[in-house]
Amino acid sequence: MSRGGGKGPSLKDKLDGNELDLSLCDLNEVPVRELAALPKATVLDLSCNNLISLPSDFCSLMHLVKLDLSKNRLQQLPLDFGRLVNLQHLDLLNNRLVTLPVSFAQLKNLKWLDLKDNPLDPVLAKVAGDCLDEKQCKQAAVKVLQHMKAIQSEQDRQRQRKLQAEREMEKKREAEQRAKEAQERELRKREKAEEKERRRREYDAQKAAKQEMEKKTKKENVQTRKPASSSRPPQPPRHKRSWSRSVLRVLLFVLLCVLCTLAACRLTELQHQPLCVSVNTLYEDVLAALQNHKTLQNLLQQNSQQ
């Protein structure tokens, strides 16, 4: 085993039964790997070295029952120091420790403890006492364990309170999120209803405008047809129109008969018949009267011009 590293082929040679003495070896670090290979070494003496700290894997040496770390320069112990559950005797005299790790409370088999000559926290120093004899060192182990258990319990309670507060905060956040989502759903629902109502109003307005336009167009068409119908003279009753038509037909028929008779009497051999003679005479009289009437009109027109 070399002086600074604590590693060498002679480590196993130092084993005496279940005791391994590595004191006064000027060690700067603990040879954990070699110690783990010696599970029979339940008593380990590392006193009077230059140890400032213990490596984290030191706590894997769970076979240790007695450990002497006195007269080193240890400033703190590993956080999981409590893994050394089989430890019964622990000497930490004359180091630079201020506090102990909370896991120290798990050393349920610890029966002897010396913390003298360390710059301990005042509360911890008062609990540990002086450890001037066997009885006081045993009492120190019991009291320190109780003290560390109380600290651990308080930390557990604080951790539980913190976890509870975090859970409550998480529940509150979840409740707020649910409320927010419900509010958003309600808002979307209201917006959808408002959009539907708006579209319904637009549809009703368009329908009403269309009906109004149709009504207006119909009214304009009626007004356009009325003047055309009013420009026509009032029609006589239907029975009167029928009577007038009948009279007109009779007159036309009579006139046609007269013309046919006149033509027959003047242009055929029937002109010497008594009836035709009368007709021809009447025709000539009428024609003479018309001529006299025309001559009279000409005279009157000449007199008016003079």
Side-chain angles (χ1 to χ4, degrees):
M1 183 177 62
S2 62
R3 262 179 87 78
K7 299 179 182 179
S10 60
L11 182 60
K12 187 175 182 179
D13 297 336
K14 289 181 173 294
L15 182 62
D16 183 9
N18 65 338
E19 296 183 6
L20 180 60
D21 187 2
L22 298 180
S23 62
L24 299 170
C25 292
D26 198 21
L27 296 177
N28 294 318
E29 59 182 21
V30 180
V32 177
R33 183 176 300 178
E34 288 79 359
L35 292 174
L38 298 174
K40 292 182 179 180
T42 59
V43 178
L44 177 62
D45 188 355
L46 291 170
S47 62
C48 302
N49 283 291
N50 298 317
L51 300 176
I52 298 176
S53 63
L54 299 177
S56 58
D57 57 349
F58 180 84
C59 301
S60 64
L61 303 177
M62 299 175 61
H63 58 276
L64 294 178
V65 175
K66 183 177 181 180
L67 177 61
D68 190 351
L69 291 168
S70 62
K71 299 181 180 179
N72 279 278
R73 294 183 293 169
L74 295 174
Q75 298 179 3
Q76 61 182 7
L77 298 179
L79 294 178
D80 57 346
F81 192 80
R83 290 176 60 192
L84 302 175
V85 293
N86 293 314
L87 200 61
Q88 298 180 13
H89 187 286
L90 178 60
D91 193 346
L92 293 170
L93 171 72
N94 195 11
N95 277 278
R96 299 177 182 178
L97 298 173
V98 177
T99 60
L100 297 176
V102 178
S103 64
F104 199 92
Q106 300 172 12
L107 300 177
K108 58 183 180 180
N109 292 316
L110 190 64
K111 302 294 189 298
W112 194 95
L113 177 63
D114 189 357
L115 288 172
K116 289 192 307 295
D117 299 331
N118 281 279
L120 296 175
D121 176 81
V123 176
L124 179 59
K126 183 177 180 180
V127 170
D130 294 332
C131 190
L132 298 176
D133 54 30
E134 187 75 12
K135 182 179 179 181
Q136 288 183 351
C137 292
K138 289 182 177 180
Q139 290 178 349
V142 174
K143 291 180 179 180
V144 169
L145 283 178
Q146 292 176 348
H147 176 69
M148 298 309 298
K149 286 179 180 179
I151 292 176
Q152 185 181 45
S153 298
E154 180 61 25
Q155 288 188 356
D156 289 342
R157 285 192 294 270
Q158 289 180 358
R159 187 162 47 251
Q160 289 296 328
R161 285 194 295 267
K162 184 178 180 180
L163 290 175
Q164 183 65 24
E166 290 177 353
R167 284 195 292 267
E168 291 178 357
M169 184 63 67
E170 183 65 23
K171 289 181 179 179
K172 184 177 179 181
R173 284 195 295 267
E174 291 177 355
E176 291 177 352
Q177 183 66 23
R178 287 193 297 270
K180 183 179 179 181
E181 292 175 354
Q183 185 177 5
E184 290 177 352
R185 287 194 300 270
E186 185 64 25
L187 180 61
R188 288 194 297 269
K189 184 178 179 181
R190 185 164 59 250
E191 290 177 350
K192 186 176 180 181
E194 290 176 354
E195 177 65 16
K196 186 176 181 181
E197 182 63 23
R198 183 185 65 79
R199 293 172 60 187
R200 189 192 302 276
R201 287 197 299 268
E202 289 180 354
Y203 173 78
D204 293 340
Q206 291 176 358
K207 186 176 180 181
K210 184 177 180 181
Q211 292 176 351
E212 183 66 22
M213 183 63 68
E214 291 177 353
K215 185 176 179 182
K216 185 177 180 181
T217 303
K218 185 177 180 182
K219 185 176 180 181
E220 290 177 352
N221 292 336
V222 171
Q223 289 177 354
T224 303
R225 286 196 300 269
K226 279 184 177 180
S229 61
S230 62
S231 62
R232 293 195 301 268
Q235 299 293 330
R238 188 170 183 179
H239 66 279
K240 291 183 179 182
R241 291 199 301 269
S242 300
W243 182 80
S244 300
R245 290 173 183 171
S246 299
V247 171
L248 182 59
R249 288 195 190 100
V250 171
L251 291 175
L252 290 174
F253 179 72
V254 171
L255 180 59
L256 181 61
C257 292
V258 170
L259 292 175
C260 291
T261 302
L262 182 61
C265 290
R266 293 184 66 84
L267 301 176
T268 65
E269 295 178 352
L270 296 175
Q271 58 184 340
H272 300 292
Q273 295 295 326
L275 180 60
C276 288
V277 171
S278 299
V279 171
N280 289 330
T281 303
L282 180 60
Y283 172 72
E284 291 174 355
D285 291 340
V286 171
L287 187 59
L290 290 174
Q291 289 177 353
N292 291 334
H293 180 66
K294 185 175 183 181
T295 302
L296 180 61
Q297 284 183 347
N298 290 332
L299 290 173
L300 291 173
Q301 185 176 3
Q302 292 175 2
N303 290 331
S304 63
Q305 291 177 357
Q306 292 176 358

